[in-house]
Amino acid sequence: MKASAALAPALRDASRLVARVAAGRSLSEELAAVPASGASRAALLDIAHGTLRRYGRVQAIVAALSKRRAPDPALEALLWCALYALESERYAEYTVVDQAVRACGLLERWSAKGYVNALLRNFARERRSLERRLEADPQARYQHPLWWIEIVRAAWPEAWQAALAAANVAPPMCLRVNRRRASADAYAARLAEAGIAGRRIGADGVLLEEPLPVQRLPGFAEGEVSVQDAGAQRAADCLELRDGQRVLDACAAPGGKAAHLLERSDIELTALDVDAARLARVAANLERLGLRARLEAVDAVQFAERHAERRFERVLLDAPCSGSGVARRHPDIKWLRRRSDLAGFAQRQGRLLDALWRLVAPGGKLLYVTCSIFPQENGDVIDAFVSRSPDARRAPLADGKPAQWLPDAEHDGFYYALIEKQA
């Protein structure tokens, strides 16, 4: 537990950001304007992400304790952030209350100091009775929208609570070792020598005990290692690559899966992304790793239409989706998404499958991937595609593991389906 004189500015900045997200703005877009480094950014990221992960809970607490009929969005967001800081146990209770009151002044809400002080102190006094009330409110208890809870509970009746709980905590940090420059075992030993605790996971991964800035990773700048979730690293295991193959990565940004494929095999890779700025990140990642691919800033459907004569032995479709499997990394997703969005994603995913399937060579394979845990954009989409495609059949995944991974302490939530084209 620590005291911090800098907490008031962090609460001010985080509350402004959270208020904008609550009004419908994207967290990643808002964070793009925040300076890239420094203690103030670290505190802001912690409070903003932590508050949004607990959004259902902190909302319910303020609603239960506040007697104001016309809430001030800035003050509400400040209270949400202060409640997260209290419950994080990183600061003493008196520090959070004092710094939240100071933040009122920084937000030019001087008259609200007494209100903020009273509500936070009431929370501390009434916490036990409040907990009983929160237990009866699914959104407060599970810290997800009700529609989201209903879908996950129906899809995963034995694991839904664990999946929701995993989405409410900070994500793990996993590394992918560039096997062209080092072995995963050797790199894990190098981390240990540097005093960085981690353990091997998967073929090329090292799971760190605690996240840390990439600048502290030995060999990062030299391209020896990248940050990539263990769930995302499955793509290279499941695509069944062989040297010399023509491979298409249809939605490549930010480039982690494309780089992993190139680290694994000597392939001829074409990587697409509709967003030129995001594709520039792919280029930068490949350059750092000493890898090469043909990059094109184009929509994958348009690419398929323009190059109907081309054939690839392997196609990777990391399809646009709800992001429900990575909500702990992007906690605004839980509150910006709507149930109705899923039908739109499924339609887009179906169009991509239909277009890209024409580019798969006879006997070739397409790997469909999402970072979603919703069947509506996973198994349902694949079942519909296979049923309308006479030359398509589902093939077993090479790693022998289930198609759907739910988020847990080791990895995010991902879905994989491998489809083979009959020769």
Side-chain angles (χ1 to χ4, degrees):
M1 191 174 290
K2 63 183 179 181
S4 175
L7 183 57
L11 286 170
R12 172 200 61 195
D13 295 342
S15 64
R16 285 173 172 166
L17 190 153
V18 168
R20 291 194 290 271
V21 171
R25 298 284 296 174
S26 161
L27 177 60
S28 58
E29 291 178 2
E30 293 299 321
L31 285 174
V34 178
S37 61
S40 60
R41 178 180 171 85
L44 168 63
L45 288 174
D46 171 57
I47 294 172
H49 279 85
T51 299
L52 289 169
R53 289 189 192 109
R54 289 174 160 253
Y55 188 51
R57 176 180 173 83
V58 295
Q59 264 194 320
I61 292 171
V62 172
L65 294 177
S66 177
K67 303 210 171 18
R68 294 197 169 193
R69 293 185 178 180
D72 179 336
L75 278 181
E76 280 211 309
L78 172 61
L79 288 166
W80 299 336
C81 292
L83 286 166
Y84 162 72
L86 277 172
E87 295 198 310
S88 74
E89 298 185 346
R90 293 189 177 141
Y91 311 92
E93 180 183 309
Y94 67 85
T95 298
V96 175
V97 176
D98 172 71
Q99 294 294 298
V101 170
R102 290 173 182 263
C104 287
L106 299 178
L107 289 168
E108 300 182 352
R109 301 296 196 277
W110 296 280
S111 63
K113 289 183 175 183
Y115 163 68
V116 168
N117 178 76
L119 190 143
L120 293 176
R121 293 191 182 280
N122 283 343
F123 168 71
R125 284 193 298 268
E126 300 177 24
R127 188 167 181 174
R128 206 172 272 182
S129 62
L130 266 173
E131 291 292 349
R132 290 193 292 270
R133 293 164 63 183
L134 295 178
E135 282 290 307
D137 179 349
Q139 287 196 168
R141 180 178 180 181
Y142 297 111
Q143 299 166 52
H144 285 73
L146 186 58
W147 66 266
W148 189 308
I149 297 169
E150 291 171 346
I151 290 176
V152 176
R153 180 166 48 197
W156 314 106
E158 303 299 323
W160 68 277
Q161 290 175 305
L164 294 176
N168 294 330
V169 297
M173 183 172 181
C174 188
L175 310 180
R176 186 193 74 243
V177 181
N178 183 353
R179 61 168 61 184
R180 293 185 180 272
R181 301 198 172 178
S183 73
D185 286 336
Y187 190 81
R190 189 175 174 190
L191 287 177
E193 291 173 2
I196 300 172
R199 61 180 174 83
R200 291 277 290 102
I201 184 171
D204 301 308
V206 179
L207 188 67
L208 300 185
E209 283 192 10
E210 298 289 340
L212 76 167
V214 294
Q215 294 81 1
R216 287 188 53 201
L217 294 174
F220 180 83
E222 295 75 24
E224 294 181 28
V225 67
S226 301
V227 177
Q228 186 181 36
D229 185 78
Q233 292 184 39
R234 273 190 90 187
D237 295 327
C238 294
L239 200 50
E240 302 179 358
L241 295 174
R242 292 195 296 271
D243 290 348
Q245 287 180 328
R246 295 182 301 275
V247 180
L248 176 66
D249 185 349
C251 302
K257 295 182 181 69
H260 198 191
L261 301 183
L262 290 165
E263 291 168 359
R264 282 282 187 93
S265 305
D266 293 320
I267 56 175
E268 181 185 320
L269 180 67
T270 299
L272 317 176
D273 202 89
V274 69
D275 188 328
R278 282 168 54 82
L279 197 66
R281 292 179 59 192
V282 179
N285 282 331
L286 295 182
E287 182 177 3
R288 179 180 63 84
L289 296 164
L291 304 169
R292 298 184 64 183
R294 178 181 179 181
L295 307 182
E296 293 192 37
V298 62
D299 177 80
V301 173
Q302 293 177 356
F303 177 87
E305 292 171 348
R306 294 175 189 171
H307 302 281
E309 77 290 346
R310 295 186 65 179
R311 294 295 179 266
F312 297 87
E313 284 80 28
R314 296 289 185 270
V315 172
L316 171 61
L317 172 54
D318 191 357
C321 69
S322 65
S324 54
V326 294
R328 58 188 174 187
R329 298 185 189 275
H330 306 282
D332 56 324
I333 285 175
K334 292 191 292 188
W335 310 105
L336 297 180
R337 290 278 182 258
R338 298 292 181 265
R339 185 192 289 265
S340 57
D341 294 339
L342 302 187
F345 281 118
Q347 290 174 2
R348 172 65 172 157
Q349 292 151 358
R351 286 196 297 271
L352 284 164
L353 282 166
D354 290 339
L356 294 170
W357 188 244
R358 296 193 290 270
L359 303 184
V360 179
K365 296 177 182 179
L366 181 150
L367 183 65
Y368 177 83
V369 185
T370 74
C371 53
S372 171
I373 61 173
F374 296 150
Q376 292 89 334
E377 47 188 348
N378 292 336
D380 292 356
V381 169
I382 294 301
D383 289 344
F385 171 72
V386 171
S387 70
R388 67 175 177 266
S389 307
D391 56 349
R393 74 169 188 90
R394 290 191 69 157
L397 294 168
D399 62 3
K401 296 177 182 176
Q404 181 72 69
W405 281 13
L406 299 176
D408 63 18
E410 294 188 340
H411 54 72
D412 291 336
F414 280 88
Y415 176 83
Y416 285 81
L418 186 64
I419 312 169
E420 184 174 19
K421 179 174 278 191
Q422 296 178 11

